[in-house]
Amino acid sequence: MYKLDIPLDLKEIAAIERRRRAEKERQGRIFNAKYRQIGIDKEALNQQIEDRNWLEELEQKRADAFAKDAIRNDKIAQLLECRQEYDERENNRALNEFRALHQQPFAQREWDLNDPDYLKKDMPARVSDDDPRCGIASLQKFQGEDLNSHARKKYQQEQLREWSRLQQEDHQRTQQQQQAADRLFNAKQNELDQRSVELQRAEEECRKAINESIKNYNDALVSLRKKNIEQFIYFQIQKHHFYKYEIM
């Protein structure tokens, strides 16, 4: 058989080229004294460290996502629990309200048989002395009984209370009238005292005015007498000088 030149697959060609390039880069790192380190591939170690850090970060993000999801689920569960409790309270309240409005014991058909206060509510055999139900053979009305004694005593007590209230009102009215009379007397007495003080003050002012007038009158008389004496002395002196000149 003859060997034919079959074209290679493009993917295989790319893989071969990638391996050649990687081998060339590896040889460059190995034979380059500047980047070469004996026994350790630093870039590979750094890549491993980065990969590990990336995995740890990915795990941390995954754990945080699960934690947030758990917190959200807890909050939803709490809200649902609160809503369930609220619905139960509302249902119980509505049930109690319905029972209070529509299921009272006195609304039952057999309530007249089960009423504990049946005897208290029942009408007695005899209500008063004139009860028409009490006939001759009823044996409910006897001589000397007084069924209205309680009402009569109650009426008498009310009458006594009314009399006591009227007496208290009369006493209060008398006290008020006495207080009004005392106030009027005190006001009149104060008015008379004030008038007496005013009259006394007017009398004192009048007396002062009279005394002032008398004083002024006396002062005027003294001044007039003094003036007359001075004029008399002056005339005497003038007369004496006149006679003296005539003699000379």
Side-chain angles (χ1 to χ4, degrees):
M1 293 180 66
Y2 296 97
K3 186 178 180 181
L4 299 176
D5 294 333
I6 300 173
L8 298 176
D9 191 4
L10 294 177
K11 291 183 179 180
E12 186 177 356
I13 294 172
I16 294 171
E17 185 65 27
R18 186 169 58 254
R19 285 196 296 272
R20 286 177 181 176
R21 188 168 56 254
E23 181 64 21
K24 187 181 292 184
E25 291 177 356
R26 187 180 69 82
Q27 290 178 2
R29 290 195 302 272
I30 293 173
F31 296 107
N32 191 350
K34 184 176 180 181
Y35 297 101
R36 184 179 61 196
Q37 293 182 359
I38 299 174
I40 297 175
D41 191 356
K42 185 177 180 181
E43 292 185 359
L45 293 177
N46 292 333
Q47 185 65 33
Q48 291 178 0
I49 292 171
E50 290 179 359
D51 294 340
R52 181 176 295 176
N53 291 333
W54 179 76
L55 290 175
E56 290 178 355
E57 185 178 358
L58 183 62
E59 288 295 331
Q60 184 65 33
K61 290 182 179 179
R62 184 168 176 270
D64 294 340
F66 278 119
K68 291 181 180 179
D69 193 15
I71 292 172
R72 184 174 62 83
N73 292 332
D74 291 339
K75 290 182 178 179
I76 293 173
Q78 290 178 359
L79 292 175
L80 292 176
E81 185 177 0
C82 292
R83 181 59 183 271
Q84 184 177 1
E85 292 178 355
Y86 175 77
D87 292 339
E88 290 179 357
R89 288 196 302 270
E90 288 296 320
N91 291 332
N92 293 330
R93 184 187 62 78
L95 181 60
N96 293 329
E97 185 177 357
F98 178 80
R99 288 175 177 174
L101 293 176
H102 304 287
Q103 293 182 352
Q104 291 292 333
F106 58 82
Q108 297 178 2
R109 185 175 56 183
E110 298 84 4
W111 175 246
D112 56 344
L113 300 177
N114 300 324
D115 189 2
D117 298 331
Y118 173 75
L119 296 178
K120 295 180 181 179
K121 297 177 181 178
D122 191 16
M123 184 179 293
R126 179 183 175 187
V127 178
S128 63
D129 294 338
D130 299 330
D131 193 349
R133 298 178 302 165
C134 299
I136 299 175
S138 63
L139 297 178
Q140 295 293 330
K141 184 177 180 181
F142 300 95
Q143 190 70 24
E145 289 185 341
D146 188 7
L147 296 180
N148 296 326
S149 60
H150 180 70
R152 186 176 63 257
K153 290 180 180 179
K154 184 177 180 181
Y155 175 75
Q156 291 175 354
Q157 291 176 357
E158 291 178 355
Q159 191 175 14
L160 289 174
R161 284 196 295 269
E162 183 67 18
W163 289 347
S164 177
R165 185 182 64 81
L166 292 176
Q167 289 179 358
Q168 290 178 359
E169 290 180 356
D170 292 338
H171 182 66
Q172 291 178 358
R173 191 180 303 107
T174 303
Q175 286 183 349
Q176 292 176 358
Q177 292 176 356
Q178 184 64 33
Q179 291 175 359
D182 293 339
R183 287 195 297 270
L184 182 61
F185 176 77
N186 292 329
K188 191 66 176 178
Q189 190 68 29
N190 293 330
E191 183 181 357
L192 293 175
D193 294 340
Q194 184 68 24
R195 185 174 298 177
S196 176
V197 171
E198 292 177 356
L199 290 175
Q200 186 176 0
R201 187 182 298 112
E203 184 178 358
E204 290 178 356
E205 291 178 356
C206 183
R207 188 181 297 110
K208 288 181 181 179
I210 292 172
N211 293 331
E212 186 69 22
S213 299
I214 293 172
K215 182 177 178 298
N216 294 331
Y217 178 74
N218 292 331
D219 292 339
L221 289 177
V222 171
S223 299
L224 182 60
R225 182 176 296 176
K226 184 177 180 181
K227 185 177 180 181
N228 292 331
I229 292 171
E230 290 177 354
Q231 289 179 358
F232 178 75
I233 293 172
Y234 177 75
F235 288 148
Q236 291 295 329
I237 293 172
Q238 292 293 331
K239 185 178 180 181
H240 178 71
H241 284 294
F242 179 73
Y243 289 150
K244 184 177 180 181
Y245 288 145
E246 286 183 354
I247 295 172
M248 291 178 63

